[in-house]
Amino acid sequence: MSDETTSRPAPGKVSAESVTLHIEQRVRPDAVVRYEEWLRVIAAKAAEYPGHQGVHIIRPPAGHNEYSILIRFASAADAEHWTNSTDRRDLLAGIADAFEGDDQFRIEPGIEFWFTPPSSAQKKPAPWKQWLITTSVIWPLTMLIPPLFNPLFAAVPILGVWGISHGIIAATIVALVVFLIMPRYVHAVSRWLFRPAKG
């Protein structure tokens, strides 16, 4: 399995209301090359739409043909604007013969998209695993990031005011978690994360 983040937004775009459009597409083996070229085109087109915050592509492991595409939007309305667009409909029509069945998509809130199984044959990880992964990422950042900003707050006192400083630190931590750490961390522990519990 391989994954790829095709675009990254500015940290200022991060929002607690952000959603992820999770798309699953089964590609015929003889159409993979054409599909990969099409995937680059549709990803670039989606990036032109309001609220777009990045694309994450999870490619199937050897012997499988199910792709997962995760497109982050600032709101559910922005995600629906793209899914209902003429651009997306026309692009899908041009590649429809490459699919085994229709593409499946759903809009997911919050950070749940990181814990979406790479294959429909797998189940979403247990809540305690999601909690453990998220905590193990955020915990050290809450200890490491604030001291790094002390020189800036000392040099520019207005930024160190209660509330403002918290906002700057929170935005930095969220940006690191969403765009840098979680994609790699979840991918690295995916075999454990999506392994079903023993009965």
PDB file of all heavy atoms in Angstrom, residues 6 21 23 25 35-49 52 55 57 69 71 73 82-83 85-93 95 99 103:
ATOM      1  N   THR A   6      -1.363  15.037  -2.049  1.00  0.00           N
ATOM      2  CA  THR A   6      -1.116  15.763  -3.278  1.00  0.00           C
ATOM      3  C   THR A   6      -1.168  17.279  -3.118  1.00  0.00           C
ATOM      4  O   THR A   6      -0.730  18.001  -3.979  1.00  0.00           O
ATOM      5  CB  THR A   6      -2.142  15.352  -4.344  1.00  0.00           C
ATOM      6  OG1 THR A   6      -3.455  15.607  -3.862  1.00  0.00           O
ATOM      7  CG2 THR A   6      -2.018  13.877  -4.657  1.00  0.00           C
ATOM      8  N   LEU A  21     -14.139  14.253   2.551  1.00  0.00           N
ATOM      9  CA  LEU A  21     -14.875  13.478   1.565  1.00  0.00           C
ATOM     10  C   LEU A  21     -14.064  12.207   1.319  1.00  0.00           C
ATOM     11  O   LEU A  21     -12.953  12.259   0.807  1.00  0.00           O
ATOM     12  CB  LEU A  21     -15.027  14.280   0.272  1.00  0.00           C
ATOM     13  CG  LEU A  21     -15.683  13.569  -0.907  1.00  0.00           C
ATOM     14  CD1 LEU A  21     -17.117  13.192  -0.567  1.00  0.00           C
ATOM     15  CD2 LEU A  21     -15.635  14.456  -2.152  1.00  0.00           C
ATOM     16  N   ILE A  23     -13.684   8.810  -0.614  1.00  0.00           N
ATOM     17  CA  ILE A  23     -14.124   8.173  -1.851  1.00  0.00           C
ATOM     18  C   ILE A  23     -13.410   6.837  -2.018  1.00  0.00           C
ATOM     19  O   ILE A  23     -12.198   6.745  -1.813  1.00  0.00           O
ATOM     20  CB  ILE A  23     -13.794   9.080  -3.068  1.00  0.00           C
ATOM     21  CG1 ILE A  23     -14.393  10.470  -2.880  1.00  0.00           C
ATOM     22  CG2 ILE A  23     -14.303   8.444  -4.367  1.00  0.00           C
ATOM     23  CD1 ILE A  23     -13.815  11.516  -3.806  1.00  0.00           C
ATOM     24  N   GLN A  25     -12.868   3.696  -4.828  1.00  0.00           N
ATOM     25  CA  GLN A  25     -13.029   3.332  -6.229  1.00  0.00           C
ATOM     26  C   GLN A  25     -12.267   2.045  -6.522  1.00  0.00           C
ATOM     27  O   GLN A  25     -11.074   1.947  -6.231  1.00  0.00           O
ATOM     28  CB  GLN A  25     -12.518   4.473  -7.137  1.00  0.00           C
ATOM     29  CG  GLN A  25     -13.336   5.745  -6.988  1.00  0.00           C
ATOM     30  CD  GLN A  25     -12.709   6.967  -7.635  1.00  0.00           C
ATOM     31  OE1 GLN A  25     -11.493   7.042  -7.774  1.00  0.00           O
ATOM     32  NE2 GLN A  25     -13.536   7.916  -8.033  1.00  0.00           N
ATOM     33  N   TYR A  35      -6.178   5.402 -15.127  1.00  0.00           N
ATOM     34  CA  TYR A  35      -6.811   5.910 -13.911  1.00  0.00           C
ATOM     35  C   TYR A  35      -5.868   6.824 -13.132  1.00  0.00           C
ATOM     36  O   TYR A  35      -6.280   7.875 -12.635  1.00  0.00           O
ATOM     37  CB  TYR A  35      -7.245   4.742 -13.028  1.00  0.00           C
ATOM     38  CG  TYR A  35      -7.749   5.156 -11.669  1.00  0.00           C
ATOM     39  CD1 TYR A  35      -9.027   5.677 -11.495  1.00  0.00           C
ATOM     40  CD2 TYR A  35      -6.929   5.042 -10.546  1.00  0.00           C
ATOM     41  CE1 TYR A  35      -9.479   6.065 -10.241  1.00  0.00           C
ATOM     42  CE2 TYR A  35      -7.375   5.419  -9.292  1.00  0.00           C
ATOM     43  CZ  TYR A  35      -8.650   5.935  -9.151  1.00  0.00           C
ATOM     44  OH  TYR A  35      -9.091   6.324  -7.904  1.00  0.00           O
ATOM     45  N   GLU A  36      -4.594   6.446 -13.023  1.00  0.00           N
ATOM     46  CA  GLU A  36      -3.620   7.261 -12.296  1.00  0.00           C
ATOM     47  C   GLU A  36      -3.479   8.640 -12.940  1.00  0.00           C
ATOM     48  O   GLU A  36      -3.367   9.655 -12.241  1.00  0.00           O
ATOM     49  CB  GLU A  36      -2.270   6.555 -12.243  1.00  0.00           C
ATOM     50  CG  GLU A  36      -2.203   5.377 -11.285  1.00  0.00           C
ATOM     51  CD  GLU A  36      -2.012   5.815  -9.832  1.00  0.00           C
ATOM     52  OE1 GLU A  36      -1.798   7.020  -9.589  1.00  0.00           O
ATOM     53  OE2 GLU A  36      -2.073   4.947  -8.946  1.00  0.00           O
ATOM     54  N   GLU A  37      -3.490   8.691 -14.267  1.00  0.00           N
ATOM     55  CA  GLU A  37      -3.413   9.980 -14.961  1.00  0.00           C
ATOM     56  C   GLU A  37      -4.671  10.802 -14.697  1.00  0.00           C
ATOM     57  O   GLU A  37      -4.609  12.010 -14.452  1.00  0.00           O
ATOM     58  CB  GLU A  37      -3.236   9.745 -16.461  1.00  0.00           C
ATOM     59  CG  GLU A  37      -1.911   9.093 -16.833  1.00  0.00           C
ATOM     60  CD  GLU A  37      -1.820   8.763 -18.303  1.00  0.00           C
ATOM     61  OE1 GLU A  37      -2.841   8.950 -19.028  1.00  0.00           O
ATOM     62  OE2 GLU A  37      -0.735   8.332 -18.754  1.00  0.00           O
ATOM     63  N   TRP A  38      -5.820  10.129 -14.730  1.00  0.00           N
ATOM     64  CA  TRP A  38      -7.093  10.797 -14.459  1.00  0.00           C
ATOM     65  C   TRP A  38      -7.141  11.303 -13.021  1.00  0.00           C
ATOM     66  O   TRP A  38      -7.668  12.386 -12.749  1.00  0.00           O
ATOM     67  CB  TRP A  38      -8.224   9.803 -14.711  1.00  0.00           C
ATOM     68  CG  TRP A  38      -9.583  10.281 -14.299  1.00  0.00           C
ATOM     69  CD1 TRP A  38     -10.460  11.008 -15.045  1.00  0.00           C
ATOM     70  CD2 TRP A  38     -10.241  10.041 -13.049  1.00  0.00           C
ATOM     71  NE1 TRP A  38     -11.622  11.230 -14.336  1.00  0.00           N
ATOM     72  CE2 TRP A  38     -11.505  10.651 -13.101  1.00  0.00           C
ATOM     73  CE3 TRP A  38      -9.875   9.344 -11.889  1.00  0.00           C
ATOM     74  CZ2 TRP A  38     -12.411  10.610 -12.042  1.00  0.00           C
ATOM     75  CZ3 TRP A  38     -10.765   9.310 -10.836  1.00  0.00           C
ATOM     76  CH2 TRP A  38     -12.019   9.938 -10.911  1.00  0.00           C
ATOM     77  N   LEU A  39      -6.576  10.536 -12.096  1.00  0.00           N
ATOM     78  CA  LEU A  39      -6.585  10.904 -10.685  1.00  0.00           C
ATOM     79  C   LEU A  39      -5.862  12.227 -10.462  1.00  0.00           C
ATOM     80  O   LEU A  39      -6.306  13.069  -9.673  1.00  0.00           O
ATOM     81  CB  LEU A  39      -5.926   9.791  -9.872  1.00  0.00           C
ATOM     82  CG  LEU A  39      -6.176   9.741  -8.366  1.00  0.00           C
ATOM     83  CD1 LEU A  39      -7.662   9.699  -8.059  1.00  0.00           C
ATOM     84  CD2 LEU A  39      -5.473   8.522  -7.773  1.00  0.00           C
ATOM     85  N   ARG A  40      -4.765  12.420 -11.159  1.00  0.00           N
ATOM     86  CA  ARG A  40      -4.031  13.694 -11.037  1.00  0.00           C
ATOM     87  C   ARG A  40      -4.874  14.861 -11.557  1.00  0.00           C
ATOM     88  O   ARG A  40      -4.863  15.958 -10.989  1.00  0.00           O
ATOM     89  CB  ARG A  40      -2.705  13.610 -11.788  1.00  0.00           C
ATOM     90  CG  ARG A  40      -1.653  12.761 -11.084  1.00  0.00           C
ATOM     91  CD  ARG A  40      -0.289  12.957 -11.717  1.00  0.00           C
ATOM     92  NE  ARG A  40      -0.213  12.312 -13.034  1.00  0.00           N
ATOM     93  CZ  ARG A  40       0.137  11.062 -13.222  1.00  0.00           C
ATOM     94  NH1 ARG A  40       0.427  10.288 -12.199  1.00  0.00           N
ATOM     95  NH2 ARG A  40       0.192  10.553 -14.443  1.00  0.00           N
ATOM     96  N   VAL A  41      -5.599  14.623 -12.641  1.00  0.00           N
ATOM     97  CA  VAL A  41      -6.425  15.678 -13.226  1.00  0.00           C
ATOM     98  C   VAL A  41      -7.567  16.066 -12.285  1.00  0.00           C
ATOM     99  O   VAL A  41      -7.799  17.239 -12.017  1.00  0.00           O
ATOM    100  CB  VAL A  41      -6.997  15.229 -14.594  1.00  0.00           C
ATOM    101  CG1 VAL A  41      -8.002  16.260 -15.121  1.00  0.00           C
ATOM    102  CG2 VAL A  41      -5.866  15.040 -15.597  1.00  0.00           C
ATOM    103  N   ILE A  42      -8.289  15.059 -11.757  1.00  0.00           N
ATOM    104  CA  ILE A  42      -9.443  15.377 -10.909  1.00  0.00           C
ATOM    105  C   ILE A  42      -9.004  15.956  -9.562  1.00  0.00           C
ATOM    106  O   ILE A  42      -9.684  16.810  -8.990  1.00  0.00           O
ATOM    107  CB  ILE A  42     -10.340  14.136 -10.717  1.00  0.00           C
ATOM    108  CG1 ILE A  42     -11.701  14.582 -10.161  1.00  0.00           C
ATOM    109  CG2 ILE A  42      -9.681  13.088  -9.824  1.00  0.00           C
ATOM    110  CD1 ILE A  42     -12.756  13.501 -10.173  1.00  0.00           C
ATOM    111  N   ALA A  43      -7.833  15.534  -9.065  1.00  0.00           N
ATOM    112  CA  ALA A  43      -7.327  16.104  -7.809  1.00  0.00           C
ATOM    113  C   ALA A  43      -7.011  17.588  -7.988  1.00  0.00           C
ATOM    114  O   ALA A  43      -7.297  18.411  -7.120  1.00  0.00           O
ATOM    115  CB  ALA A  43      -6.090  15.349  -7.345  1.00  0.00           C
ATOM    116  N   ALA A  44      -6.419  17.924  -9.144  1.00  0.00           N
ATOM    117  CA  ALA A  44      -6.106  19.328  -9.426  1.00  0.00           C
ATOM    118  C   ALA A  44      -7.379  20.152  -9.592  1.00  0.00           C
ATOM    119  O   ALA A  44      -7.452  21.306  -9.143  1.00  0.00           O
ATOM    120  CB  ALA A  44      -5.249  19.424 -10.687  1.00  0.00           C
ATOM    121  N   LYS A  45      -8.389  19.562 -10.214  1.00  0.00           N
ATOM    122  CA  LYS A  45      -9.660  20.279 -10.404  1.00  0.00           C
ATOM    123  C   LYS A  45     -10.348  20.509  -9.060  1.00  0.00           C
ATOM    124  O   LYS A  45     -10.879  21.592  -8.797  1.00  0.00           O
ATOM    125  CB  LYS A  45     -10.570  19.488 -11.343  1.00  0.00           C
ATOM    126  CG  LYS A  45     -11.940  20.114 -11.580  1.00  0.00           C
ATOM    127  CD  LYS A  45     -11.830  21.535 -12.140  1.00  0.00           C
ATOM    128  CE  LYS A  45     -11.216  21.570 -13.516  1.00  0.00           C
ATOM    129  NZ  LYS A  45     -11.260  22.934 -14.095  1.00  0.00           N
ATOM    130  N   ALA A  46     -10.350  19.501  -8.186  1.00  0.00           N
ATOM    131  CA  ALA A  46     -10.969  19.650  -6.866  1.00  0.00           C
ATOM    132  C   ALA A  46     -10.296  20.757  -6.069  1.00  0.00           C
ATOM    133  O   ALA A  46     -10.942  21.469  -5.298  1.00  0.00           O
ATOM    134  CB  ALA A  46     -10.896  18.329  -6.098  1.00  0.00           C
ATOM    135  N   ALA A  47      -8.978  20.915  -6.261  1.00  0.00           N
ATOM    136  CA  ALA A  47      -8.222  21.932  -5.522  1.00  0.00           C
ATOM    137  C   ALA A  47      -8.640  23.347  -5.901  1.00  0.00           C
ATOM    138  O   ALA A  47      -8.343  24.300  -5.171  1.00  0.00           O
ATOM    139  CB  ALA A  47      -6.723  21.741  -5.769  1.00  0.00           C
ATOM    140  N   GLU A  48      -9.322  23.511  -7.027  1.00  0.00           N
ATOM    141  CA  GLU A  48      -9.780  24.835  -7.460  1.00  0.00           C
ATOM    142  C   GLU A  48     -11.068  25.256  -6.757  1.00  0.00           C
ATOM    143  O   GLU A  48     -11.464  26.417  -6.844  1.00  0.00           O
ATOM    144  CB  GLU A  48     -10.010  24.828  -8.976  1.00  0.00           C
ATOM    145  CG  GLU A  48      -8.751  24.551  -9.798  1.00  0.00           C
ATOM    146  CD  GLU A  48      -9.057  24.420 -11.282  1.00  0.00           C
ATOM    147  OE1 GLU A  48     -10.244  24.620 -11.659  1.00  0.00           O
ATOM    148  OE2 GLU A  48      -8.136  24.132 -12.058  1.00  0.00           O
ATOM    149  N   TYR A  49     -11.707  24.328  -6.049  1.00  0.00           N
ATOM    150  CA  TYR A  49     -13.007  24.625  -5.454  1.00  0.00           C
ATOM    151  C   TYR A  49     -12.870  25.253  -4.063  1.00  0.00           C
ATOM    152  O   TYR A  49     -11.915  24.962  -3.338  1.00  0.00           O
ATOM    153  CB  TYR A  49     -13.849  23.344  -5.381  1.00  0.00           C
ATOM    154  CG  TYR A  49     -14.611  23.096  -6.661  1.00  0.00           C
ATOM    155  CD1 TYR A  49     -13.933  22.815  -7.838  1.00  0.00           C
ATOM    156  CD2 TYR A  49     -15.997  23.193  -6.710  1.00  0.00           C
ATOM    157  CE1 TYR A  49     -14.620  22.620  -9.035  1.00  0.00           C
ATOM    158  CE2 TYR A  49     -16.700  22.994  -7.896  1.00  0.00           C
ATOM    159  CZ  TYR A  49     -16.002  22.716  -9.053  1.00  0.00           C
ATOM    160  OH  TYR A  49     -16.684  22.529 -10.233  1.00  0.00           O
ATOM    161  N   HIS A  52     -11.355  23.856  -0.281  1.00  0.00           N
ATOM    162  CA  HIS A  52     -10.470  22.692  -0.446  1.00  0.00           C
ATOM    163  C   HIS A  52      -9.254  22.829   0.464  1.00  0.00           C
ATOM    164  O   HIS A  52      -8.613  23.882   0.503  1.00  0.00           O
ATOM    165  CB  HIS A  52     -10.027  22.594  -1.897  1.00  0.00           C
ATOM    166  CG  HIS A  52      -9.150  21.417  -2.207  1.00  0.00           C
ATOM    167  ND1 HIS A  52      -7.790  21.455  -2.022  1.00  0.00           N
ATOM    168  CD2 HIS A  52      -9.438  20.184  -2.670  1.00  0.00           C
ATOM    169  CE1 HIS A  52      -7.280  20.291  -2.376  1.00  0.00           C
ATOM    170  NE2 HIS A  52      -8.258  19.499  -2.771  1.00  0.00           N
ATOM    171  N   VAL A  55      -5.583  16.823  -0.474  1.00  0.00           N
ATOM    172  CA  VAL A  55      -5.984  15.498  -0.951  1.00  0.00           C
ATOM    173  C   VAL A  55      -4.984  14.475  -0.445  1.00  0.00           C
ATOM    174  O   VAL A  55      -3.773  14.690  -0.497  1.00  0.00           O
ATOM    175  CB  VAL A  55      -6.022  15.443  -2.491  1.00  0.00           C
ATOM    176  CG1 VAL A  55      -6.378  14.039  -2.971  1.00  0.00           C
ATOM    177  CG2 VAL A  55      -7.005  16.449  -3.041  1.00  0.00           C
ATOM    178  N   ILE A  57      -4.194  10.357  -0.981  1.00  0.00           N
ATOM    179  CA  ILE A  57      -4.529   9.178  -1.777  1.00  0.00           C
ATOM    180  C   ILE A  57      -3.912   7.940  -1.146  1.00  0.00           C
ATOM    181  O   ILE A  57      -2.710   7.900  -0.901  1.00  0.00           O
ATOM    182  CB  ILE A  57      -4.013   9.335  -3.221  1.00  0.00           C
ATOM    183  CG1 ILE A  57      -4.647  10.565  -3.882  1.00  0.00           C
ATOM    184  CG2 ILE A  57      -4.328   8.072  -4.037  1.00  0.00           C
ATOM    185  CD1 ILE A  57      -3.996  10.948  -5.204  1.00  0.00           C
ATOM    186  N   ILE A  69      -9.577   7.804  -1.672  1.00  0.00           N
ATOM    187  CA  ILE A  69      -9.176   9.207  -1.859  1.00  0.00           C
ATOM    188  C   ILE A  69      -9.845  10.025  -0.763  1.00  0.00           C
ATOM    189  O   ILE A  69     -11.067   9.968  -0.587  1.00  0.00           O
ATOM    190  CB  ILE A  69      -9.578   9.735  -3.247  1.00  0.00           C
ATOM    191  CG1 ILE A  69      -8.913   8.903  -4.345  1.00  0.00           C
ATOM    192  CG2 ILE A  69      -9.183  11.195  -3.381  1.00  0.00           C
ATOM    193  CD1 ILE A  69      -9.765   7.808  -4.882  1.00  0.00           C
ATOM    194  N   ILE A  71     -10.416  13.761   0.551  1.00  0.00           N
ATOM    195  CA  ILE A  71     -10.332  15.181   0.194  1.00  0.00           C
ATOM    196  C   ILE A  71     -10.885  15.996   1.350  1.00  0.00           C
ATOM    197  O   ILE A  71     -12.035  15.827   1.752  1.00  0.00           O
ATOM    198  CB  ILE A  71     -11.122  15.504  -1.086  1.00  0.00           C
ATOM    199  CG1 ILE A  71     -10.758  14.525  -2.210  1.00  0.00           C
ATOM    200  CG2 ILE A  71     -10.844  16.944  -1.520  1.00  0.00           C
ATOM    201  CD1 ILE A  71     -11.543  14.751  -3.483  1.00  0.00           C
ATOM    202  N   PHE A  73     -12.206  19.329   3.172  1.00  0.00           N
ATOM    203  CA  PHE A  73     -12.879  20.590   2.874  1.00  0.00           C
ATOM    204  C   PHE A  73     -13.160  21.339   4.176  1.00  0.00           C
ATOM    205  O   PHE A  73     -13.280  20.734   5.240  1.00  0.00           O
ATOM    206  CB  PHE A  73     -14.188  20.363   2.123  1.00  0.00           C
ATOM    207  CG  PHE A  73     -14.013  19.994   0.677  1.00  0.00           C
ATOM    208  CD1 PHE A  73     -14.034  18.668   0.276  1.00  0.00           C
ATOM    209  CD2 PHE A  73     -13.821  20.974  -0.283  1.00  0.00           C
ATOM    210  CE1 PHE A  73     -13.866  18.316  -1.055  1.00  0.00           C
ATOM    211  CE2 PHE A  73     -13.647  20.643  -1.616  1.00  0.00           C
ATOM    212  CZ  PHE A  73     -13.671  19.307  -2.004  1.00  0.00           C
ATOM    213  N   TRP A  82     -18.489  20.399  -4.302  1.00  0.00           N
ATOM    214  CA  TRP A  82     -17.624  19.646  -5.213  1.00  0.00           C
ATOM    215  C   TRP A  82     -18.292  18.367  -5.701  1.00  0.00           C
ATOM    216  O   TRP A  82     -18.286  18.063  -6.892  1.00  0.00           O
ATOM    217  CB  TRP A  82     -16.289  19.330  -4.540  1.00  0.00           C
ATOM    218  CG  TRP A  82     -15.503  18.258  -5.244  1.00  0.00           C
ATOM    219  CD1 TRP A  82     -15.174  17.033  -4.761  1.00  0.00           C
ATOM    220  CD2 TRP A  82     -14.947  18.324  -6.565  1.00  0.00           C
ATOM    221  NE1 TRP A  82     -14.465  16.326  -5.691  1.00  0.00           N
ATOM    222  CE2 TRP A  82     -14.309  17.082  -6.806  1.00  0.00           C
ATOM    223  CE3 TRP A  82     -14.938  19.295  -7.561  1.00  0.00           C
ATOM    224  CZ2 TRP A  82     -13.666  16.802  -8.007  1.00  0.00           C
ATOM    225  CZ3 TRP A  82     -14.300  19.021  -8.768  1.00  0.00           C
ATOM    226  CH2 TRP A  82     -13.669  17.788  -8.980  1.00  0.00           C
ATOM    227  N   THR A  83     -18.895  17.607  -4.789  1.00  0.00           N
ATOM    228  CA  THR A  83     -19.487  16.316  -5.191  1.00  0.00           C
ATOM    229  C   THR A  83     -20.650  16.504  -6.166  1.00  0.00           C
ATOM    230  O   THR A  83     -20.902  15.625  -6.998  1.00  0.00           O
ATOM    231  CB  THR A  83     -19.979  15.514  -3.973  1.00  0.00           C
ATOM    232  OG1 THR A  83     -20.943  16.272  -3.241  1.00  0.00           O
ATOM    233  CG2 THR A  83     -18.819  15.159  -3.052  1.00  0.00           C
ATOM    234  N   SER A  85     -20.850  18.972  -8.366  1.00  0.00           N
ATOM    235  CA  SER A  85     -20.419  19.853  -9.453  1.00  0.00           C
ATOM    236  C   SER A  85     -20.456  19.162 -10.818  1.00  0.00           C
ATOM    237  O   SER A  85     -20.310  17.938 -10.936  1.00  0.00           O
ATOM    238  CB  SER A  85     -19.004  20.363  -9.189  1.00  0.00           C
ATOM    239  OG  SER A  85     -18.060  19.310  -9.311  1.00  0.00           O
ATOM    240  N   THR A  86     -20.622  19.979 -11.849  1.00  0.00           N
ATOM    241  CA  THR A  86     -20.570  19.486 -13.227  1.00  0.00           C
ATOM    242  C   THR A  86     -19.172  18.992 -13.562  1.00  0.00           C
ATOM    243  O   THR A  86     -19.011  17.994 -14.284  1.00  0.00           O
ATOM    244  CB  THR A  86     -20.966  20.608 -14.204  1.00  0.00           C
ATOM    245  OG1 THR A  86     -22.296  21.053 -13.900  1.00  0.00           O
ATOM    246  CG2 THR A  86     -20.934  20.109 -15.647  1.00  0.00           C
ATOM    247  N   ASP A  87     -18.152  19.652 -13.035  1.00  0.00           N
ATOM    248  CA  ASP A  87     -16.769  19.237 -13.292  1.00  0.00           C
ATOM    249  C   ASP A  87     -16.541  17.802 -12.837  1.00  0.00           C
ATOM    250  O   ASP A  87     -16.000  16.971 -13.575  1.00  0.00           O
ATOM    251  CB  ASP A  87     -15.783  20.166 -12.569  1.00  0.00           C
ATOM    252  CG  ASP A  87     -15.663  21.517 -13.241  1.00  0.00           C
ATOM    253  OD1 ASP A  87     -15.811  21.580 -14.476  1.00  0.00           O
ATOM    254  OD2 ASP A  87     -15.421  22.504 -12.521  1.00  0.00           O
ATOM    255  N   ARG A  88     -16.940  17.490 -11.606  1.00  0.00           N
ATOM    256  CA  ARG A  88     -16.738  16.131 -11.084  1.00  0.00           C
ATOM    257  C   ARG A  88     -17.560  15.120 -11.872  1.00  0.00           C
ATOM    258  O   ARG A  88     -17.067  14.032 -12.210  1.00  0.00           O
ATOM    259  CB  ARG A  88     -17.099  16.067  -9.603  1.00  0.00           C
ATOM    260  CG  ARG A  88     -16.847  14.690  -8.987  1.00  0.00           C
ATOM    261  CD  ARG A  88     -17.076  14.696  -7.478  1.00  0.00           C
ATOM    262  NE  ARG A  88     -16.679  13.415  -6.906  1.00  0.00           N
ATOM    263  CZ  ARG A  88     -17.502  12.373  -6.776  1.00  0.00           C
ATOM    264  NH1 ARG A  88     -18.766  12.474  -7.178  1.00  0.00           N
ATOM    265  NH2 ARG A  88     -17.069  11.242  -6.251  1.00  0.00           N
ATOM    266  N   ARG A  89     -18.790  15.474 -12.185  1.00  0.00           N
ATOM    267  CA  ARG A  89     -19.655  14.555 -12.929  1.00  0.00           C
ATOM    268  C   ARG A  89     -19.072  14.242 -14.312  1.00  0.00           C
ATOM    269  O   ARG A  89     -19.050  13.089 -14.748  1.00  0.00           O
ATOM    270  CB  ARG A  89     -21.051  15.165 -13.060  1.00  0.00           C
ATOM    271  CG  ARG A  89     -22.053  14.237 -13.728  1.00  0.00           C
ATOM    272  CD  ARG A  89     -23.480  14.709 -13.502  1.00  0.00           C
ATOM    273  NE  ARG A  89     -23.686  16.087 -13.972  1.00  0.00           N
ATOM    274  CZ  ARG A  89     -23.915  17.107 -13.147  1.00  0.00           C
ATOM    275  NH1 ARG A  89     -23.937  16.922 -11.841  1.00  0.00           N
ATOM    276  NH2 ARG A  89     -24.113  18.314 -13.638  1.00  0.00           N
ATOM    277  N   ASP A  90     -18.571  15.274 -14.995  1.00  0.00           N
ATOM    278  CA  ASP A  90     -18.002  15.072 -16.333  1.00  0.00           C
ATOM    279  C   ASP A  90     -16.725  14.244 -16.276  1.00  0.00           C
ATOM    280  O   ASP A  90     -16.491  13.380 -17.134  1.00  0.00           O
ATOM    281  CB  ASP A  90     -17.716  16.426 -16.992  1.00  0.00           C
ATOM    282  CG  ASP A  90     -18.989  17.181 -17.358  1.00  0.00           C
ATOM    283  OD1 ASP A  90     -20.072  16.546 -17.341  1.00  0.00           O
ATOM    284  OD2 ASP A  90     -18.900  18.385 -17.645  1.00  0.00           O
ATOM    285  N   LEU A  91     -15.880  14.502 -15.265  1.00  0.00           N
ATOM    286  CA  LEU A  91     -14.634  13.747 -15.137  1.00  0.00           C
ATOM    287  C   LEU A  91     -14.915  12.280 -14.815  1.00  0.00           C
ATOM    288  O   LEU A  91     -14.242  11.380 -15.331  1.00  0.00           O
ATOM    289  CB  LEU A  91     -13.754  14.381 -14.060  1.00  0.00           C
ATOM    290  CG  LEU A  91     -13.050  15.674 -14.473  1.00  0.00           C
ATOM    291  CD1 LEU A  91     -12.488  16.406 -13.258  1.00  0.00           C
ATOM    292  CD2 LEU A  91     -11.931  15.377 -15.468  1.00  0.00           C
ATOM    293  N   LEU A  92     -15.913  12.029 -13.974  1.00  0.00           N
ATOM    294  CA  LEU A  92     -16.280  10.646 -13.651  1.00  0.00           C
ATOM    295  C   LEU A  92     -16.825   9.921 -14.881  1.00  0.00           C
ATOM    296  O   LEU A  92     -16.542   8.733 -15.091  1.00  0.00           O
ATOM    297  CB  LEU A  92     -17.313  10.618 -12.524  1.00  0.00           C
ATOM    298  CG  LEU A  92     -16.771  10.841 -11.110  1.00  0.00           C
ATOM    299  CD1 LEU A  92     -17.922  11.010 -10.125  1.00  0.00           C
ATOM    300  CD2 LEU A  92     -15.878   9.683 -10.688  1.00  0.00           C
ATOM    301  N   ALA A  93     -17.593  10.631 -15.699  1.00  0.00           N
ATOM    302  CA  ALA A  93     -18.149  10.023 -16.908  1.00  0.00           C
ATOM    303  C   ALA A  93     -17.043   9.581 -17.857  1.00  0.00           C
ATOM    304  O   ALA A  93     -17.165   8.565 -18.547  1.00  0.00           O
ATOM    305  CB  ALA A  93     -19.092  11.008 -17.601  1.00  0.00           C
ATOM    306  N   ILE A  95     -14.173   8.358 -17.097  1.00  0.00           N
ATOM    307  CA  ILE A  95     -13.354   7.249 -16.585  1.00  0.00           C
ATOM    308  C   ILE A  95     -14.235   6.095 -16.100  1.00  0.00           C
ATOM    309  O   ILE A  95     -13.721   5.086 -15.590  1.00  0.00           O
ATOM    310  CB  ILE A  95     -12.438   7.748 -15.426  1.00  0.00           C
ATOM    311  CG1 ILE A  95     -11.286   6.786 -15.156  1.00  0.00           C
ATOM    312  CG2 ILE A  95     -13.257   7.996 -14.159  1.00  0.00           C
ATOM    313  CD1 ILE A  95     -10.250   6.740 -16.229  1.00  0.00           C
ATOM    314  N   PHE A  99     -13.835   1.510 -13.875  1.00  0.00           N
ATOM    315  CA  PHE A  99     -14.236   1.074 -12.544  1.00  0.00           C
ATOM    316  C   PHE A  99     -14.937  -0.279 -12.569  1.00  0.00           C
ATOM    317  O   PHE A  99     -15.620  -0.629 -13.535  1.00  0.00           O
ATOM    318  CB  PHE A  99     -15.188   2.086 -11.891  1.00  0.00           C
ATOM    319  CG  PHE A  99     -14.578   3.433 -11.630  1.00  0.00           C
ATOM    320  CD1 PHE A  99     -15.366   4.574 -11.659  1.00  0.00           C
ATOM    321  CD2 PHE A  99     -13.231   3.568 -11.361  1.00  0.00           C
ATOM    322  CE1 PHE A  99     -14.824   5.821 -11.417  1.00  0.00           C
ATOM    323  CE2 PHE A  99     -12.675   4.809 -11.117  1.00  0.00           C
ATOM    324  CZ  PHE A  99     -13.472   5.941 -11.148  1.00  0.00           C
ATOM    325  N   ASP A 103     -18.328   4.411  -8.023  1.00  0.00           N
ATOM    326  CA  ASP A 103     -17.507   4.871  -6.901  1.00  0.00           C
ATOM    327  C   ASP A 103     -18.417   5.151  -5.712  1.00  0.00           C
ATOM    328  O   ASP A 103     -19.578   5.526  -5.872  1.00  0.00           O
ATOM    329  CB  ASP A 103     -16.681   6.098  -7.290  1.00  0.00           C
ATOM    330  CG  ASP A 103     -17.526   7.342  -7.469  1.00  0.00           C
ATOM    331  OD1 ASP A 103     -18.648   7.250  -8.016  1.00  0.00           O
ATOM    332  OD2 ASP A 103     -17.060   8.411  -7.083  1.00  0.00           O
TER     333      ASP A 103
END
